[in-house]
Amino acid sequence: MRLSISARVSIACATVIVLALGLLAIGLSVGNKIHQADLRITLLSDALRVEDRLDRAQRRLRIDVGDTTRQAERGIPVPATRWTRLIRQADQFEQLSSSAASFRTLVPDPGRMTILETRRDAVDFARTSKTLIAVARTEPSRVKAMMPPFLDALRVLETNRSRAREAIALEIWQAADKNQRESRTDVLAVLLGGLVIVAIIFGMTLWLRRNLLLPITAIAARLREFKVGEGDGGIPGLARADELGDLARGLSEYRSAVESRRTAERRAEFLAHHDMLTGLANRLLFESRLAHELSRSMRTGDVVAVFAIDLDAFKAINDRLGHAGGDRALKRAAQLLSLCVRADDLVARIGGDEFAIIQVAQSQPAAAEALLSRIYRKTAESADDDTAIRMSIGVALAEPGQSGEEVHELADVALYRAKADGRNTARFFNKHLKEEENLRLRLARDLDQAIAEEQLHLAFQPIADTASMRIVGYEALLRWHHPLLGDIAPEVFVPVAESTGLIKPIGSWVIDRAMATASTWDPTLSLAINLSPLQFRSPGLAAEIHDAALHWGIALDRLDVEVTESATLLGFQRENVLTILKALRGYGAKIVMDDFGTGHSSLSNLKEFTFDKIKIDRSFVAAMQTQTSAALIVKATIGLGKSLGLTIVAEGVETEAQLADLRQCGCDQVQGFLVGAPSRRMDDHARSERPGISADAGASAIYRTGN
């Protein structure tokens, strides 16, 4: 049977009350006994005082009777008043002895009998005294004869009175001794009862403290800790089967519910400010932290650096490994960046494959350069992995008064330049980049009208047979003459076209114009068209080229489709790229690997797809005369192509010495200023354009300036 705490406390309190009442009854009984004993002693003392008063009255009477009778016996006259007074004194003594309380009930036998005899002896003495007085008054001569009875009565009275007084004194002593002994016993009993009650109360206090107060205090402490979100200790009393157990279990359930709610709130708060995939800060937290750091730097003098980061070839990873592989790459990139930064730096995922870092330091740009060095060391360690991480990074250092949005935009400008400079590299923002960004924005706005206003045109550069130097074909190169800015270099405007999405209509325009021009040539001359990697996003690219050739009456076996072998091209939707190239090859077009040797997977690309031609990059040709390694690479490339049955074309041939070496190595075709510069007019190769700089290996060949 379960007893509640209130029932237990009630039983204990009732027990204490009963014991207290019992103790009170004992106390009252003891008090009454002491009172009765005190009253007995008082009465006995009164009896003793009565005996003393009678004894004093007796002595006065004895003395007065003796003196008066002797005076009468001697014949000395005694006044009548004295006889009268003496008689009255004897009467008073007799009356006093007869009426005085005997306290017989207070004194046991034989003391009680002695007191009674003393009273009778006193009456006899009073009467004997009156007889003696009467004789002495009338017959003084008989006094002597009457004296013996008087003295006998006096002796008996004094003897009995002395015995009575001793009996009363003894009784007083015995009563006092008994009272003392009983009082001690009763007081000890009361004290023992009091100690029992105190012990019970003390035991109740300990029990209440251990079983009630301490658990309540512990539960209250847990509740206070839990209220402020600090306590996670266990709640005492969960196994108890009383009210405190119910309270503890209720509190535990309440805490579990609130903790679940707090966990959900913290999760929601985390998700509101963090990226769910990588766990990094999201754009909202990034912008908030950036604004805070910019405001704080105005007081501390620190410099805030913002890193804008993009993963290179992320879409290629997604296409090759699927979304799961892309997620793994993002997580790995997030982990890599987190390992490189300091504890007080912030790494954020802005969206997609875009990341950002906020770094605050006194020594800038040294701290930013050190962080870049750590990042690229880490990325280099992943080069041999299936999902190698490559990053383009733009860095902007905040200046006083700049907002977070402005600093981030400047970092994006530097990032754009890093991508344009070959990717997997970093650039710091400076005023020159700002000018370039302003120019890029203007070009992005003007490029949309360039086609309609016929500002774009094609230039054609001849390709010759190495042995005979006979022209065997032309490569179509895109040019833009801005009405206000003049000629815009392809490496400037083509990235703008790619970033704005205009590369697709421009690419279609290049295909159509090149086909139209080639339709007027000698049918034996080939036409080389360069394709941007972004054009391969269109699954209808092969059909578009095929339809354009049919429209202009161009045999597709005259067409050389040049593609770069970099990861930018063949890494992005690799299967789609190879499918389009196979379709073009099926139509009869020749597929040319452009800028061979500048990418990271040249041999892998040759294994994946059978090309018809290989074009040796101009950088190797230019270094043939001065660098043995470059000459060996050219020679090895030509040998490799020959072994695979491919036609080898050398780009950037500008001197007779280069031509001689290429002939000696067995190169099939050459292209460069030695053969002819790009020109709008096919019959005016002598009036060539000024040589320019080729686009990097990752850029589309349609923005080449020529070789």
Side-chain angles (χ1 to χ4, degrees):
M1 177 180 176
R2 168 184 169 181
L3 283 178
S4 65
I5 293 177
S6 59
R8 297 178 186 180
V9 173
S10 299
I11 292 173
C13 290
T15 302
V16 171
I17 292 173
V18 170
L19 290 175
L21 291 175
L23 186 62
L24 178 61
I26 293 173
L28 291 175
S29 176
V30 170
N32 185 56
K33 289 172 66 177
I34 293 174
H35 174 71
Q36 294 297 328
D38 289 342
L39 180 60
R40 177 181 175 82
I41 293 173
T42 301
L43 293 175
L44 288 172
S45 299
D46 290 342
L48 189 59
R49 283 193 295 272
V50 169
E51 293 300 324
D52 289 340
R53 187 168 65 251
L54 292 173
D55 185 60
R56 288 193 300 272
Q58 171 201 319
R59 285 197 301 270
R60 285 195 303 271
L61 179 61
R62 176 182 61 81
I63 293 171
D64 291 343
V65 171
D67 290 343
T68 303
T69 58
R70 280 195 301 270
Q71 185 176 355
E73 184 181 8
R74 293 174 183 175
I76 300 172
V78 178
T81 55
R82 184 173 179 180
W83 290 113
T84 303
R85 185 171 63 250
L86 189 59
I87 292 299
R88 188 167 54 252
Q89 183 179 358
D91 290 337
Q92 290 176 349
F93 177 73
E94 181 182 3
Q95 184 179 3
L96 179 62
S97 298
S98 300
S99 63
S102 64
F103 303 100
R104 295 188 301 272
T105 58
L106 299 178
V107 182
D109 290 332
R112 181 166 60 246
M113 297 304 296
T114 301
I115 294 173
L116 292 176
E117 290 177 359
T118 301
R119 295 289 186 273
R120 289 193 298 270
D121 292 341
V123 172
D124 290 343
F125 175 73
R127 292 174 180 174
T128 302
S129 296
K130 287 189 291 184
T131 301
L132 181 60
I133 292 169
V135 171
R137 182 176 183 183
T138 59
E139 298 179 72
S141 59
R142 292 181 62 192
V143 171
K144 187 174 183 181
M146 294 298 297
M147 188 59 66
F150 173 79
L151 293 176
D152 290 338
L154 176 61
R155 185 175 55 253
V156 171
L157 174 59
E158 288 181 347
T159 301
N160 288 334
R161 189 180 300 281
S162 181
R163 290 170 56 195
R165 291 176 65 185
E166 290 177 357
I168 294 173
L170 178 61
E171 191 64 30
I172 290 174
W173 178 85
Q174 289 177 346
D177 181 65
K178 179 181 179 182
N179 187 28
Q180 182 180 8
R181 285 185 287 102
E182 291 181 351
S183 297
R184 185 183 301 112
T185 303
D186 292 340
V187 168
L188 288 176
V190 172
L191 289 177
L192 182 60
L195 288 176
V196 171
I197 293 177
V198 170
I200 292 175
I201 294 176
F202 183 72
M204 286 179 57
T205 303
L206 292 179
W207 185 86
L208 289 173
R209 184 177 185 274
R210 183 173 63 86
N211 293 279
L212 187 63
L213 296 180
L214 289 180
I216 289 177
T217 302
I219 291 174
R222 292 289 183 272
L223 187 59
R224 285 193 298 271
E225 293 171 356
F226 175 65
K227 183 177 181 181
V228 297
E230 295 179 352
D232 56 356
I235 298 175
L238 291 175
R240 294 179 59 151
D242 52 21
E243 296 92 332
L244 277 181
D246 296 337
L247 177 61
R249 287 185 290 275
L251 179 59
S252 178
E253 293 174 0
Y254 169 74
R255 187 174 75 170
S256 298
V258 175
E259 282 180 345
S260 298
R261 188 189 70 184
R262 284 180 176 173
T263 300
E265 290 175 349
R266 287 193 295 268
R267 178 65 175 168
E269 177 71 12
F270 181 84
L271 293 178
H273 295 90
H274 292 80
D275 174 57
M276 188 161 51
L277 176 64
T278 62
L280 298 178
N282 61 10
R283 180 183 291 272
L284 180 63
L285 181 55
F286 169 80
E287 293 175 349
S288 175
R289 174 72 175 274
L290 180 56
H292 170 74
E293 295 295 351
L294 290 174
S295 176
R296 192 174 67 88
S297 65
M298 297 178 66
R299 301 189 305 271
T300 62
D302 293 336
V303 179
V304 179
V306 175
F307 294 65
I309 304 170
D310 267 6
L311 298 187
D312 295 334
F314 175 69
K315 291 183 175 62
I317 296 175
N318 247 346
D319 293 334
R320 187 170 71 255
L321 303 177
H323 290 298
D327 289 346
R328 288 196 300 272
L330 290 173
K331 291 179 181 178
R332 187 169 182 185
Q335 183 181 22
L336 183 150
L337 293 174
S338 299
L339 290 174
C340 293
V341 299
R342 303 170 304 178
D344 53 351
D345 296 337
L346 177 71
V347 182
R349 182 187 176 201
I350 304 301
D353 62 337
E354 301 176 28
F355 296 85
I357 297 175
I358 300 174
Q359 182 194 57
V360 183
Q362 284 279 354
S363 55
Q364 293 288 17
E369 291 171 348
L371 177 54
L372 289 174
S373 177
R374 293 194 296 271
I375 291 174
Y376 282 113
R377 278 201 305 271
K378 283 292 184 180
T379 58
E381 294 174 2
S382 69
D384 297 332
D385 296 344
D386 184 45
T387 55
I389 303 299
R390 295 290 182 270
M391 298 180 180
S392 295
I393 305 176
V395 184
L397 303 180
E399 296 182 358
Q402 286 184 328
S403 66
E405 184 178 359
E406 290 172 337
V407 180
H408 194 195
E409 288 179 354
L410 298 182
D412 281 336
V413 172
L415 171 63
Y416 178 82
R417 183 53 183 266
K419 290 181 177 180
D421 287 350
R423 301 177 184 267
N424 197 33
T425 187
R427 293 292 181 267
F428 279 83
F429 175 82
N430 53 41
K431 293 183 178 180
H432 177 66
L433 289 182
K434 183 63 176 177
E435 293 173 357
E436 289 186 355
E437 175 63 10
N438 292 335
L439 176 61
R440 189 185 73 84
L441 294 175
R442 179 176 181 180
L443 294 180
R445 184 178 63 251
D446 296 345
L447 188 59
D448 192 28
Q449 303 297 324
I451 300 176
E453 297 179 1
E454 298 183 354
Q455 298 173 16
L456 299 179
H457 65 272
L458 295 179
F460 296 89
Q461 186 173 31
I463 303 172
D465 177 74
T466 305
S468 64
M469 292 300 289
R470 178 179 59 84
I471 294 177
V472 296
Y474 291 89
E475 179 181 1
L477 302 171
L478 179 63
R479 297 292 184 264
W480 180 19
H481 182 78
H482 193 280
L484 298 178
L485 302 177
D487 290 333
I488 307 299
E491 62 266 25
V492 174
F493 74 81
V494 171
V496 174
E498 289 182 328
S499 64
T500 58
L502 292 174
I503 193 65
K504 291 185 178 180
I506 290 176
S508 298
W509 180 86
V510 168
I511 292 172
D512 183 73
R513 289 296 88 204
M515 295 283 190
T517 303
S519 66
T520 63
W521 298 346
D522 185 328
T524 61
L525 295 176
S526 65
L527 170 65
I529 298 177
N530 299 277
L531 297 179
S532 165
L534 297 183
Q535 288 180 268
F536 284 91
R537 293 184 180 180
S538 174
L541 178 61
E544 179 184 357
I545 294 174
H546 176 265
D547 294 343
L550 291 179
H551 177 75
W552 293 106
I554 302 295
L556 280 171
D557 58 2
R558 295 176 55 192
L559 184 63
D560 291 348
V561 178
E562 296 189 6
V563 294
T564 58
E565 54 82 30
S566 65
T568 304
L569 174 63
L570 295 183
F572 174 69
Q573 295 183 342
R574 188 179 185 87
E575 295 300 324
N576 291 342
V577 172
L578 296 179
T579 299
I580 292 174
L581 293 179
K582 289 177 182 178
L584 290 173
R585 206 159 183 268
Y587 292 144
K590 299 178 181 63
I591 308 302
V592 182
M593 179 185 287
D594 198 8
D595 299 333
F596 182 82
T598 59
H600 75 284
S601 56
S602 301
L603 297 179
S604 175
N605 289 329
L606 288 177
K607 177 176 70 69
E608 292 286 341
F609 186 80
T610 302
F611 289 86
D612 298 291
K613 287 185 179 183
I614 293 177
K615 297 187 79 172
I616 302 174
D617 186 72
R618 66 188 305 276
S619 61
F620 297 113
V621 175
M624 282 178 59
Q625 305 298 314
T626 58
Q627 296 180 13
T628 304
S629 59
L632 291 175
I633 290 174
V634 171
K635 186 175 182 180
T637 301
I638 294 174
L640 175 64
K642 291 293 185 181
S643 65
L644 295 175
L646 306 180
T647 300
I648 308 301
V649 183
E651 297 181 307
V653 180
E654 298 181 357
T655 66
E656 293 291 345
Q658 293 171 345
L659 178 63
D661 288 344
L662 291 170
R663 283 175 176 169
Q664 186 177 359
C665 292
C667 181
D668 298 306
Q669 296 176 355
V670 292
Q671 180 180 357
F673 287 101
L674 183 63
V675 180
S679 175
R680 299 180 66 175
R681 296 179 57 183
M682 303 304 298
D683 57 352
D684 192 15
H685 294 138
R687 184 167 56 85
S688 63
E689 299 181 355
R690 180 184 176 187
I693 301 176
S694 299
D696 61 88
S700 169
I702 65 172
Y703 25 113
R704 300 165 63 89
T705 57
N707 297 281

